[in-house]
Amino acid sequence: MDLSRYGFGAAPIGNLFTAVDDATARAAVDAAYDAGIRLFDTAPHYGLGLSERRLGAALAGRPRDSYTLSTKVGRLLVPSTRGSAARDDEGFDVPADLRRVRDYSREGVRRSLEESLERLGLDRVDIALIHDPDDHWEQAVSEAYPALAELRAQGVVTAIGAGMNQWEMLARFVRETDLDVVMLAGRHTLLDQSGARELLPLCGERGVRVLAAGVFNSGLLATHEPSGTYDYAPAPGSLLARAREIAAVCERHGVTLPQAALAFPLRHPAVASVVAGARSAAEVTRNAALAARPVPGELWSDLAAEGLIS
């Protein structure tokens, strides 16, 4: 399965933090495709299905074999009793007419994929990831994984894996199952290289490809003047100061902080793609331009020498 070096993360077009309209979301996907991005990642969790619906609609006119689509299982969407005026309380600016129910059972996995295909308007997904099973290891490994392995054997999906914001359980999955890919969010970035200590070498040994997501750590590294959130919460002062130190070193080499953030994960041979979220065509175009600029090797040497990266 061919994976482009950069992928489009579709959480923002599911109204992550703030709402975008349908036209803006469509333009973001179109800009990604036009920029040569061929990996698109989404999930039912993102906007209570809105991300999947928008992504599917935007890709509908594209040749199906020209791109790779990834979605996730583990959260079923069921009708909510909160009322039409309620808003989602898990970070997405959408009506809470549905609610998420954690379900990593065999039946839940199959139902989740069927409902995702319906929202996407597609006949298949290429990658199916077990999504955030942090507190559900036993069911995820004993039911969700075998269900996905069976679907892979049947050719319903091409590749299976798990996507999480932690590396420890992903490493356990890699050791104890036969995954094709893992999505590691926020744990192999300029500010957090914890995933590189054990998980990435393990993936290299086992031939498991890594999709590095959350490379801006939800916003702190997204601009050259660091600001905003870190892992979806206000950035601690210590991390803000460290990001500014990294930005200063980048500046000495003619590199911006987001440019370095996009380039850094791909230095590890286990990392196949960097998946970056975007909510507009302008953000996609900016990221594509940054990704195309070379980063001098001396930058990494200087960051390491100053103890800013490991």
Side-chain angles (χ1 to χ4, degrees):
M1 183 172 59
D2 293 331
L3 296 174
S4 55
R5 284 171 58 83
Y6 289 94
F8 177 87
I13 65 168
N15 290 2
L16 179 63
F17 299 136
T18 57
V20 297
D21 59 33
D22 289 342
T24 300
R26 173 65 178 264
V29 178
D30 288 346
Y33 195 93
D34 292 344
I37 291 172
R38 293 295 182 267
L39 171 62
F40 296 86
D41 176 72
T42 184
H45 171 54
Y46 303 155
L48 294 170
L50 179 63
S51 172
E52 288 184 319
R53 291 193 298 273
R54 284 175 163 173
L55 182 60
L59 292 173
R62 311 288 185 179
R64 183 60 188 86
D65 291 336
S66 70
Y67 61 86
T68 299
L69 185 89
S70 167
T71 194
K72 305 179 182 75
V73 300
R75 291 175 173 91
L76 292 175
L77 303 181
V78 302
S80 171
T81 59
R82 294 175 58 190
S84 58
R87 306 296 292 179
D88 180 52
D89 56 6
E90 293 196 33
F92 294 88
D93 187 3
V94 294
D97 53 345
L98 298 171
R99 62 185 178 90
R100 304 165 182 86
V101 175
R102 296 281 186 153
D103 190 336
Y104 298 89
S105 69
R106 182 180 185 278
E107 295 75 16
V109 165
R110 287 183 168 272
R111 176 181 164 188
S112 181
L113 284 176
E114 288 172 4
E115 293 177 355
S116 287
L117 288 173
E118 185 175 346
R119 286 188 291 267
L120 288 160
L122 298 173
D123 60 355
R124 73 180 192 277
V125 298
D126 302 293
I127 303 173
L129 301 171
I130 304 169
H131 199 189
D132 295 339
D134 302 72
D135 299 321
H136 305 270
W137 164 258
E138 292 300 332
Q139 190 177 46
V141 76
S142 66
E143 296 191 50
Y145 164 71
L148 289 181
E150 182 179 317
L151 292 171
R152 178 180 60 187
Q154 295 170 351
V156 177
V157 297
T158 303
I160 63 173
M164 304 183 72
N165 291 291
Q166 58 150 298
W167 66 264
E168 294 90 344
M169 190 176 285
L170 288 179
R172 191 173 179 186
F173 269 114
V174 173
R175 288 192 200 95
E176 300 183 26
T177 69
D178 181 26
L179 299 185
D180 304 295
V181 62
V182 296
M183 175 171 280
L184 177 64
R187 304 285 78 86
H188 186 52
T189 74
L190 285 174
L191 288 173
D192 185 338
Q193 292 106 56
S194 58
R197 291 195 294 267
E198 185 174 334
L199 175 63
L200 297 193
L202 182 62
C203 288
E205 293 169 11
R206 296 291 298 268
V208 176
R209 288 192 276 185
V210 177
L211 309 179
V215 297
F216 297 137
N217 284 119
S218 85
L220 187 55
L221 301 175
T223 57
H224 189 60
E225 294 292 334
S227 63
T229 59
Y230 177 84
D231 286 358
Y232 308 102
S238 59
L239 281 176
L240 186 59
R242 187 160 164 240
R244 287 171 177 159
E245 291 182 59
I246 294 173
V249 178
C250 288
E251 200 165 304
R252 296 205 302 263
H253 292 274
V255 174
T256 66
L257 185 60
Q259 179 188 354
L262 286 167
F264 173 76
L266 288 166
R267 298 180 66 238
H268 197 288
V271 176
S273 299
V274 166
V275 178
R279 68 179 61 249
S280 68
E283 288 187 9
V284 171
T285 302
R286 184 206 73 148
N287 289 344
L290 290 174
R293 296 176 189 169
V295 175
E298 294 81 2
L299 168 62
W300 314 121
S301 301
D302 285 357
L303 288 171
E306 297 193 23
L308 294 170
I309 62 171
S310 59

